[in-house]
Each structure stands twice: as C-alpha cells, then as structure tokens.
Amino acid sequence: MFDDDDLRCFSMLIEAPRNAEILGSVKIYDVQKVLKLESSELETPLLRCITNEEIEEVLERLVVIIPVKNEKINLLDGVLRAIPQKCKIIVVSNSSRMKQDLFKMEEDVVRRFYRVTKHPIMLIHQKDPGMAISYKEVGFSSILDGDGLVRDGKAEGMVTGLLIAKYLKKDFVGFIDADNYFPGAVNEYVRDYAAGLCMSKSPYAMIRLHWKHKPKIVKRKLYFKKWGRVSEITNRYLNLLLANQTGFETDIIKTGNAGEHAMTMKLASIMNFSTGYSIEPYQLIYLLEEFGRGETEYAEAANAGIEVFQIETLNPHLHEEKGEKHVKGMMMDSLSTIFHSRLTNKYLKTRIIEELKSNKVVESDKEIKKNLIIPSIKDIDGKKFMKKLEESSDTFVNFLWNGN
Ligand code: GDP
Ligand code: CO
C-alpha cells in the first residue's frame, strides 16, 4: 500500500494553458492537453503537475451525475465501474418502461453494482410521478410538462441530479454520459475533472473536456477523427460571438458541445440551463451574457471571477452513434441558442441562418425557435425536495447514505 508520501510522488501532467480570453469576469483558457496520466513530479512553466493526493481530495468532494435514456445496458454497467470509488453517483434515467422495461434492467445493474462494490449510488426515473410532486413541493414547476410530469430531456435529468447533489452538500459536480464504450476513458474523464478543479483559483469554475480523437469507421477502417461536424460549427459561431464582444478574432472555444463537463457547485447553483442539445453551448452563452458585461446580480461570483478550463483527454472518445436526425437536432439547438443570444448581432444572425439552410436544417429563419430555459436551482430547498422524493417516489433506489 502507498502511504501519503508515495501518493505525492505521482502526478498528472497537463500542459499549462498558452492563452486565455477574458470578457468581464469570464476567463476562458485555451485547451490544455493531458500529457501523462501518471508521472513523477515535474515542475516547468509549461506544465501543470497535479499530484494524486490533490486529485483524491477533489474526488471526495465530487458527485458524478449520469443521465441515461435507452442506452445499451452493458455500456451503463461499464461506465459505473469506471467511476473512482470516492465519488458518489447519481443516475437519472428517462429510459423506456413500455414493452421492454429498460429501467428495470438499469435498476438490476445498479443493485448488483452496489452489492458487489459498495459504491454509494442512487438511481431515479425522470418520469416518476413522485419526482413531479417533489418539484411542485419546492415551487419549481417550470421543469414539468403539460401532463404534470418532468419533461423529457437530458437537461431536465441533469438539473435533477444537480438538485440532489445540492442536498448532499458536495462542492463539485461532474457529468458523464452513459453511452461510453470505454470504462478506462470514463475513469480518465473524472480524473481530468478533478485535475481541472485543482487548477482553478476561483470557487466558480467549469471544466469542459475536449476529445483527442473520436474513432469512426470510414471505408471499413478505423479512422481517428479530430473534429465532429456539429462541434466544429458550434465552436465557430461561439468564437464569432466572443470576438464580437472583445473586438479580437479568436478560436479559443473548442468545447462548445462538451457533454462531459464538471463545475463547482457554487457555479452550477447560479446558472440557468437551456434544454435539448443546447445545454452545453448555452452554458458558455449564459456566462458571457451574465458575467461578460458587469451587469450581474451575482456580485460574489463576478468578484471571484469565472474560470472555464478546456482539457484535451488522452483517451479517444467512443460513444453510441445516434444517426443523422440526432446530428441535425444538435446543430439546430446549438445554433439557435447562439442566434437568440442578446450578444449576437445582425451579421452573426445572418451567417447562422445561412449555415442552417446550407445544412438543410431549416428553410427559413422563422424555424429557429428559442430553446426553453430552466431557471437556476439557487433558491430551491434541496432538503425539502429530497424529503418529498423519498416519501413519494416509487423508482428511487438509494444506496447513497447507506453507511457512507
Ligand atoms: P451526445 O453524446 O451529446 O450526442 O448525446 P447522447 O444522445 O449520447 O446523450 C447524452 C447522454 O444523455 C446519454 O447518456 C443519454 O442516454 C442521455 N440522455 C438523452 N436523453 C435523455 C433524457 O431525456 N433524460 C435523461 N435522464 N438522459 C438522457
Ligand atoms: Co453520446
């Protein structure tokens, strides 16, 4: 076994950021590559060296939220097994309960996982009527649909996870998708989050992951793609929006659609979240709108500064491919969130319309609808929400506070 001194000897090596863009209180750092997952300690001005001891300390304060909807059960199983033991796990599922009860399969996996590993974990279904009752109890009805249940959507699942993390009084929260093929990659992502959180000087920080590569099958061969089509487009327009504000052209944003991201709870609690596929790009828009101009109601956050780190993983990212419809939906939602930002000028709007038309996503600008926004959870009483959830839910599997 290692003692504390031994732990200190091993470190993650990450490039120091070469550059950062600053707008008001928001600082967005350039991509930093993970150079080595475990190394001896090295200190040079071009490297950040984060000791295992520092990483372990953050992991203890980090909750991992896994949104899941109709994924292959083996993928979820692999993802769970990859999460470092110190992080509690919250799985929010919106999987089908119709013909084949996929949620039941997820429940079996979670129970078995806990029985074997004793890893603190909870699982809940997004459409559980008890969840809607709990949201009503705390006055957060904007997350409900016409039928009085929680709306479909990854964002709604993520916000639910956040509320539970708030109740747990954890300092950090990280999101991990359930459709990842490589548990080893997932393990790295969580450790990258921790490394990023160690680098931040502000209690208002966000870590967004950038893939080194995304493997695809091209002409029956494995090809390691650097950029996804939607990501490239989303990043281009986010950078144009930023350049519009600063007056300097930039390509700093490389994680516009970063599904894998982490935040300090302080930041997550004050942010509004957009829905559909726009949740991730909107996070950057929200920060620039709220903190880029000095007009915010959050003086403490503005004074501390908001730091956005972008970390390039060592592992490639292989997840479930969901087809052309998914790609178009992602482009639509991502670009409409930029289109409707109050920071977007006429020129940028015209370019976005052209982009969406040329990709056959829309035929006219009238189709570029505003995405629904979920307000922040800052005023919600997490304890009241959880108490009601425990009382009224029938899908809640809770191994979170069983002796942990
Ligand atoms: P992409 O990887 O960003 O292209 O999007 P995915 O379709 O893989 O979605 C990301 C994660 O969110 C996956 O784990 C999905 O299973 C999950 N997800 C998608 N829709 C929902 C939903 O309505 N509710 C919940 N809780 N999770 C969802
Ligand atoms: Co995915």
Side-chain angles (χ1 to χ4, degrees):
M1 284 298 285
F2 295 129
D3 63 24
D4 284 357
D5 279 350
D6 291 325
L7 267 182
R8 209 168 297 133
C9 297
F10 295 114
S11 310
M12 191 188 286
L13 275 193
I14 302 189
E15 269 180 346
R18 279 158 299 168
N19 205 345
E21 291 284 349
I22 299 174
L23 186 73
S25 313
V26 185
K27 190 167 186 182
I28 304 176
Y29 293 96
D30 204 354
V31 164
Q32 300 170 252
K33 288 186 182 151
V34 173
L35 298 177
K36 201 159 187 297
L37 290 174
E38 197 158 271
S39 156
S40 55
E41 255 190 281
L42 291 171
E43 276 300 344
T44 84
L46 299 177
L47 292 177
R48 290 278 180 277
C49 183
I50 297 130
T51 65
N52 274 357
E53 198 185 29
E54 290 172 291
I55 288 178
E56 294 294 321
E57 262 174 39
V58 169
L59 291 178
E60 217 159 305
R61 298 157 67 199
L62 175 81
V63 180
V64 170
I65 297 172
I66 305 177
V68 57
K69 184 177 180 183
N70 302 339
E71 302 296 352
K72 291 180 183 141
I73 197 72
N74 285 346
L75 299 187
L76 175 68
D77 189 52
V79 166
L80 295 181
R81 288 167 199 273
I83 310 294
Q85 183 76 22
K86 285 182 174 169
C87 310
K88 292 191 170 174
I89 304 174
I90 302 170
V91 184
V92 185
S93 168
N94 192 17
S95 296
S96 167
R97 309 208 63 188
M98 302 306 276
K99 274 179 250 144
Q100 196 190 12
D101 192 346
L102 294 177
F103 181 74
K104 181 79 187 50
M105 286 162 72
E106 289 163 1
E107 190 182 328
D108 286 346
V109 160
V110 165
R111 286 187 188 282
R112 204 166 350 113
F113 171 71
Y114 179 76
R115 213 169 38 239
V116 175
T117 66
K118 292 288 174 277
H119 194 131
I121 182 166
M122 64 142 280
L123 166 73
I124 192 152
H125 200 276
Q126 198 164 322
K127 294 286 181 185
D128 186 325
M131 190 185 297
I133 292 172
S134 312
Y135 270 118
K136 279 186 202 143
E137 174 84 0
V138 294
F140 202 68
S141 305
S142 57
I143 201 159
L144 306 179
D145 64 13
D147 299 331
L149 293 177
V150 171
R151 261 194 319 269
D152 285 323
K154 182 175 73 151
E156 286 74 2
M158 287 165 65
V159 169
T160 302
L162 270 184
L163 206 46
I164 297 167
K166 183 177 175 180
Y167 169 76
L168 292 173
K169 293 199 163 47
K170 289 285 171 176
D171 297 316
F172 310 117
V173 56
F175 298 95
I176 293 284
D177 288 351
D179 62 341
N180 198 304
Y181 273 90
F182 294 127
V186 170
N187 185 263
E188 185 205 335
Y189 302 163
V190 180
R191 297 179 70 80
D192 293 347
Y193 292 162
L197 291 162
C198 286
M199 290 190 285
S200 68
K201 294 178 202 80
S202 166
Y204 295 86
M206 177 184 289
I207 321 299
R208 302 170 75 88
L209 298 189
H210 174 62
W211 318 127
K212 185 174 187 133
H213 289 111
K214 253 180 153 175
K216 305 252 174 212
I217 309 280
V218 179
K219 296 204 173 124
R220 301 176 66 196
K221 278 198 175 150
L222 205 51
Y223 177 70
F224 287 82
K225 252 175 101 72
K226 186 83 190 143
W227 291 104
R229 200 170 82 196
V230 182
S231 306
E232 202 172 351
I233 292 173
T234 307
N235 291 335
R236 188 183 323 138
Y237 290 95
L238 283 171
N239 280 314
L240 279 171
L241 177 138
L242 182 56
N244 235 320
Q245 298 301 309
T246 60
F248 288 83
E249 213 170 271
T250 179
D251 62 354
I252 200 124
I253 298 176
K254 303 211 171 59
T255 56
N257 292 106
E260 257 72 13
H261 62 278
M263 283 181 266
T264 60
M265 219 31 228
K266 276 194 144 181
L267 181 59
S269 305
I270 60 171
M271 286 184 63
N272 298 343
F273 291 98
S274 189
T275 50
Y277 298 110
S278 63
I279 180 162
E280 287 92 8
Y282 179 75
Q283 288 168 341
L284 293 174
I285 303 247
Y286 169 82
L287 292 178
L288 295 171
E289 285 182 350
E290 186 67 30
F291 295 100
R293 291 254 154 237
E295 296 157 356
T296 176
E297 60 174 297
Y298 304 111
E300 189 199 309
N303 289 335
I306 315 285
E307 291 185 296
V308 179
F309 293 89
Q310 305 182 95
I311 296 183
E312 184 183 285
T313 62
L314 196 63
N315 276 283
H317 186 71
L318 185 65
H319 70 148
E320 188 66 4
E321 285 300 332
K322 297 193 172 122
E324 187 63 14
K325 205 168 147 227
H326 184 89
V327 169
K328 283 198 170 169
M330 218 164 139
M331 201 181 298
M332 176 72 196
D333 290 1
S334 301
L335 290 188
S336 84
T337 204
I338 304 173
F339 184 88
H340 287 290
S341 167
R342 58 185 156 86
L343 304 180
T344 299
N345 64 12
K346 217 165 160 218
Y347 165 73
L348 192 48
K349 282 191 185 202
T350 312
R351 285 198 52 182
I352 291 173
I353 297 168
E354 280 166 13
E355 185 73 61
L356 285 169
K357 280 185 181 165
S358 72
N359 283 284
K360 305 206 165 24
V361 178
V362 301
E363 282 171 7
S364 103
D365 56 337
K366 304 266 179 317
E367 294 168 54
I368 311 178
K369 297 273 179 308
K370 251 189 170 160
N371 296 297
L372 268 177
I373 304 288
I374 305 174
S376 81
I377 58 161
K378 68 175 184 326
D379 296 325
I380 301 188
D381 184 340
K383 211 166 156 186
K384 203 166 160 191
F385 177 81
M386 281 307 285
K387 191 162 171 280
K388 199 74 192 169
L389 200 59
E390 289 218 283
E391 269 169 37
S392 50
S393 150
D394 41 59
T395 64
F396 199 14
V397 178
N398 185 0
F399 296 123
L400 270 190
W401 34 87
N402 286 8
N404 288 286

